[in-house]
Amino acid sequence: MVYWLRFDFPGEKWPQRVFWVSLLVNIGVLFSPLVDRPASRGELALFLLPDGFVVLIAMIAHNQALARSVRAQLIATVVVFTAACAALLALVILQSSAST
């Protein structure tokens, strides 16, 4: 998803930066204790939600020409992504601590 952003925004540098930041976040998640067992389909969202979070933050930061309402919607989406990431990570941590 993040790789294809550079084709949607040709000539801009921020999609490339977002790709590298998302790659670092995904590597961090991959080597964390959260994925110490075979992943189910639901646990693959551990990689998607942080990528969406990074993309939304970059879009808000780099697009100063956005209308105020669009910026407010993006900020609300970041809040929802933050809550979803926190809930998903909490469930994974609780499940892994309960199984040990």
Side-chain angles (χ1 to χ4, degrees):
M1 170 191 86
V2 177
Y3 176 77
W4 295 106
L5 270 179
R6 64 187 179 106
F7 299 115
D8 292 338
F9 300 96
E12 295 189 28
K13 297 284 186 192
W14 70 268
Q16 295 172 2
R17 293 181 189 127
V18 166
F19 172 76
W20 292 109
V21 170
S22 295
L23 182 67
L24 290 173
V25 168
N26 286 336
I27 289 172
V29 170
L30 181 67
F31 290 111
S32 72
L34 298 175
V35 289
D36 61 349
R37 60 190 181 284
S40 67
R41 282 184 270 166
E43 288 176 345
L44 290 178
L46 284 172
F47 296 100
L48 178 64
L49 290 174
D51 288 347
F53 184 76
V54 169
V55 168
L56 286 171
I57 293 293
M59 286 180 76
I60 292 169
H62 286 89
N63 291 329
Q64 299 299 326
L66 290 175
R68 188 173 187 176
S69 61
V70 174
R71 185 178 299 269
Q73 289 174 352
L74 286 174
I75 291 171
T77 307
V78 166
V79 170
V80 170
F81 261 82
T82 303
C85 285
L88 185 63
L89 292 175
L91 288 173
V92 171
I93 289 170
L94 288 175
Q95 182 183 11
S96 65
S97 67
S99 65
T100 58

